Amino acid sequence: MRRLLLDTHVLLWWLADSPQLGPRTRDLIADERNDVFVSAASAWEIAIKTALGKLEVPEDLQEIIEEEGFDILSISFFHGLQAGRLPPLHRDPFDRMLIAQAQTEGVELVTNDGMIARYGIKLVDACR
């Protein structure tokens, strides 16, 4: 069993059945033995991009995520502190939160963002 945290773009690729999501990663996410998490930070990022007109998502996104069998990972006070204490290698606040959550929750972050590897956390390359 593996514990996976999906980066926002990976979640969107999964929901859109995008070919950008690699077959190995697709199998990992689909494997019912694995725990797959979606962060509240991704909901926040998606809501902001939707409000700016950069993204379109269904109104019932949370229901869709739950129907997929994914678990919602809330943002705790501790996560916030950890994100703020990270070295400034990556400036995106949403990614910094995902990194902090991956560190504190002991999950593998599924991403295509090469900058995140500089934090030394367990990663799954989303394109494989």
Side-chain angles (χ1 to χ4, degrees):
M1 179 183 89
R2 294 172 77 172
R3 300 177 73 230
L4 308 169
L5 175 60
L6 304 183
D7 199 340
T8 306
H9 65 275
V10 175
L11 170 65
L12 295 172
W13 290 352
W14 172 265
L15 295 175
D17 199 24
S18 171
Q20 291 176 283
L21 190 60
R24 179 179 165 270
T25 302
R26 190 176 300 281
D27 289 346
L28 280 174
I29 294 170
D31 188 335
E32 292 182 4
R33 295 172 295 182
N34 294 330
D35 291 329
V36 180
F37 297 91
V38 175
S39 173
S42 290
W44 179 23
E45 181 177 14
I46 288 168
I48 287 173
K49 289 183 178 179
T50 300
L52 294 172
K54 295 181 177 183
L55 187 61
E56 287 186 33
V57 294
E59 287 290 323
D60 59 345
L61 182 60
Q62 183 173 346
E63 291 174 24
I64 293 169
I65 289 169
E66 291 169 356
E67 286 172 6
E68 291 290 329
F70 300 159
D71 295 311
I72 305 296
L73 180 57
S74 298
I75 298 172
S76 71
F77 193 84
F78 186 71
H79 292 147
L81 290 174
Q82 290 302 104
R85 292 177 179 148
L86 289 171
L89 305 175
H90 201 307
R91 298 199 182 275
D92 184 302
F94 304 109
D95 287 336
R96 291 174 63 82
M97 179 54 68
L98 295 175
I99 293 163
Q101 288 181 309
Q103 287 176 333
T104 60
E105 302 301 323
V107 297
E108 297 174 78
L109 183 57
V110 183
T111 187
N112 187 41
D113 185 338
M115 289 289 295
I116 292 175
R118 297 174 65 191
Y119 285 95
I121 61 173
K122 291 181 181 179
L123 296 178
V124 173
D125 182 347
C127 294
R128 290 184 176 215

